[in-house]
Amino acid sequence: MSEKSKRREALVYHAKPTPGKIKIVPTKKYSSQRDLALAYSPGVAEPCIEIAKDKSNVYKYTTKGNLVAVISNGTAVLGLGDIGPEASKPVMEGKGLLFKIFADLDCFDIEVDTKDVDEFIKTVKNIAPTFGGINLEDIKAPEAFEIERRLKEELDIPVMHDDQHGTAIISSAALLNALELAEKKIEDVKIVISGAGSAAISCTSLYVKLGARKENIMMFDIDGLITKDRTNLGPEQMQFARDLDKVDLREALKNADVFLGLSVGNIVDGEMLRSMNDSPIVFAMANPTPEIDYDTAMASREDIIMATGRSDHPNQVNNVLGFPFIFRGAMDVRATKINEEMKMAATKAIAQLAKEPVPEQVNIAYGELKLSFGRDYIIPKPFDPRLISTIPPAVAKAAMESGVAQEPILDWERYEEQLLSRMGSDNKLVRLLLNRARINPKRIVFAEADNIDVLKAAQIVLEDGIGTPILLGRKDIIEELMEELGFDQPCMIIDPKSDEEKARKDRYAHEFWKLRQRKGVTEFDAGKSLRQRNYFAAM
C-alpha cells in the first residue's frame, strides 16, 4: 500500500462513520422513569450521602475504580514532537482504546493546554478525584520527570508516565531473556544507548536496578556522548555521565554487548554491529524507522538477538504488553502508587511468560508453526490471552507486599477468573481471527454491494487488510454509496447485468454448465442461473 493510501486509510478510519475512537456507554438500565429517578434525582442523593460520610465509598458507588485518565499537553507526541494538545487527542483516544480492549479499563482522555509545569500539575491534581489511575502521555523531557515525580508524591492513586516506564518494563523483560540466550550476565555487559530522553533514561535506570553497572553504560544524545563536563543537561541525564574522552557511536559500539536505540533512524550500519561482541543484543526501537533496518542488521551477522518497535518484525517492544495490565493490577488492589517493586514484578512476569509454552491460538494468530522461547521470541506477543491473567496478579501482589495496596486480594484463583471473564472469549477470538486473516488476505465477493450495510462490510474488510473486496451491483449506486461512506480506496466493481459483462457472464455460464451438467443442469439453465448475483459471485 502506498504512503498516500495509508494516509487516506488512517484519516477515513478516524473520521467515519463517527469521528474519534471512544464513547461513553451506560452500564445501568435507563428505559423507564423509575430507572431515571434512580440514576439521577432523587435516587442519586443516597450514594452521594454515603460517599460524604466515607470517601472510600466512591469506589463502591461510582466508576472511579475502573477509570483511567490519559493526560497529555501534546509536547512530545509519537515522532511528531510538540504539536499541541488538540493534535495529540487522536493518540490519547487510541491509548484509551487499548486500555479498554486489553484490560477492560474505562478511560477519559484529557488534553491540557499548558507547558507550565506548575499549572499542569495543578490541573491534574484538581481533576484527580474523578479517576482511579492517571496515565501521563507524550510529555517532553525534562518536564515529564518533574511532573510525574510530583504527582506521585502528591496524589494517592497510581500515576505513571508510560513513555518512560512502559518502554523500560518491556525492554527490560526482553533484555533479561536476551542475556539468558546469549549466556551473559547483566552486571558484566557493556551497554551503549542512543537517546537520552525520558524513555531512554527510564530504560537505563531499570537496567541498573536489574544489575547493570553505570560504569559499563555509555549514553549518547544529539550532541554526542554524555560526559561529566557537559553543561547542557539535566540531573536525569547526568546520572549516567561518564568521565571519558569524547568518542562517537561507532567507536563506542566496538566490543559492546548491548545496543539500545531510542533516538532516530538509520544511524547504525552493519559494520558497527560486526564490531560488537559475540551474540550482540540490539534493540533498535526508533519508530517508524529503527536505528538500523531489521534486514540489514540480521544480514550483518548470524548471532544477533534483535528487537524493534515495529510489528512487522519479531520481538516487538510494544508498550501494550505492559501499561493496560500494570494499571489493572494496581487499581484492583487500590494501590496508592505504582512503585519500583510493581514495575519489577511486571518485568519479571513478562519475561517469564515468554518462556512458557505458547497457546496454539497465538501461533495461528501470528501465522507461526510453533513459537517458542528463542532469539526470535524473547517477549510475548500482544494478543497472547495469558497476559491478562499473568501481569495484573504479579503487579497486585507486589503492591500488597510493598505496602501500597488498600484493598488486598484474598482469593487469587477467583481474581484470575475475574480477569479472564473481563476479556470475553468472543472478543479475543475475533481479534485472533482478524490477525490471522491479515497474514494471507483472500479475495471476497460481495454479491449485494449496492446495499449500504454490505458495502460498509466490504470497506471494513479492505481497511482492516483482511481481504480484497470485489463489489457486485449497479455501478452508479455503488459509487454513490462509496462517496457517502468516504470509501475512496480503489475496488473492483462489477455489474453482472451490464452489457460490458456479457462475455464474462457467458464464460461463467459455460463453466457452470460443465460442472453441473451431470446433475441435471442444461446449458440454458446455467445461463439463466448466472443472471442471479449469487451464482455469478460464486463463479
Side-chain angles (χ1 to χ4, degrees), residues 363-379:
N363 288 317
I364 293 171
Y366 288 93
E368 300 284 352
L369 291 176
K370 187 172 177 59
L371 283 170
S372 61
F373 181 57
R375 291 172 182 261
D376 288 335
Y377 182 70
I378 58 175
I379 41 178

Side-chain angles (χ1 to χ4, degrees), residues 12-59:
V12 170
Y13 172 84
H14 283 81
K16 303 287 183 175
T18 302
K21 296 188 287 282
I22 55 178
K23 67 178 181 179
I24 296 173
V25 178
T27 61
K28 298 292 191 295
K29 295 184 295 180
Y30 52 90
S31 56
S32 68
Q33 179 60 36
R34 179 175 179 274
D35 295 335
L36 297 180
L38 290 170
Y40 198 57
S41 182
V44 74
E46 298 306 325
C48 293
I49 294 168
E50 294 303 308
I51 295 168
K53 293 177 184 176
D54 180 354
K55 280 187 180 180
S56 66
N57 281 331
V58 70
Y59 288 92

Side-chain angles (χ1 to χ4, degrees), residues 501-517 521-532 535-539:
E501 298 299 332
K502 185 177 185 309
R504 191 200 302 258
K505 187 165 55 180
D506 290 345
R507 185 171 79 253
Y508 287 172
H510 184 69
E511 290 295 324
F512 180 64
W513 169 68
K514 285 168 62 178
L515 290 168
R516 304 296 294 172
Q517 59 181 320
V521 175
T522 67
E523 196 160 4
F524 174 81
D525 292 333
K528 186 177 178 181
S529 295
L530 261 293
R531 287 196 288 272
Q532 300 177 48
Y535 279 86
F536 187 95
M539 292 302 294

Side-chain angles (χ1 to χ4, degrees), residues 416-537:
E416 289 187 22
E417 288 175 6
Q418 290 172 345
L419 291 171
L420 291 170
S421 68
R422 285 183 175 279
M423 309 311 297
S425 58
D426 53 344
N427 291 335
K428 286 188 293 185
L429 181 61
V430 168
R431 290 202 303 273
L432 292 169
L433 289 173
L434 288 175
N435 203 55
R436 175 65 172 166
R438 289 188 191 100
I439 294 171
N440 187 19
K442 304 294 187 182
R443 295 196 309 161
I444 304 171
V445 184
F446 290 82
E448 306 291 340
D450 46 13
N451 177 292
I452 192 167
D453 292 331
V454 175
L455 186 61
K456 180 60 183 175
Q459 182 183 17
I460 292 170
V461 164
L462 185 60
E463 290 176 353
D464 284 356
I466 59 177
T468 303
I470 299 172
L471 310 176
L472 300 193
R474 284 183 53 183
K475 189 173 183 179
D476 57 337
I477 294 177
I478 291 174
E479 289 177 341
E480 184 180 330
L481 292 174
M482 289 177 77
E483 185 175 355
E484 181 180 335
L485 289 172
F487 187 171
D488 55 359
Q489 296 187 57
C491 238
M492 182 183 290
I493 301 174
I494 299 173
D495 184 353
K497 294 185 178 179
S498 69
D499 294 337
E500 291 86 351
E501 298 299 332
K502 185 177 185 309
R504 191 200 302 258
K505 187 165 55 180
D506 290 345
R507 185 171 79 253
Y508 287 172
H510 184 69
E511 290 295 324
F512 180 64
W513 169 68
K514 285 168 62 178
L515 290 168
R516 304 296 294 172
Q517 59 181 320
R518 294 185 178 276
K519 300 292 185 180
V521 175
T522 67
E523 196 160 4
F524 174 81
D525 292 333
K528 186 177 178 181
S529 295
L530 261 293
R531 287 196 288 272
Q532 300 177 48
R533 285 193 203 172
N534 286 328
Y535 279 86
F536 187 95

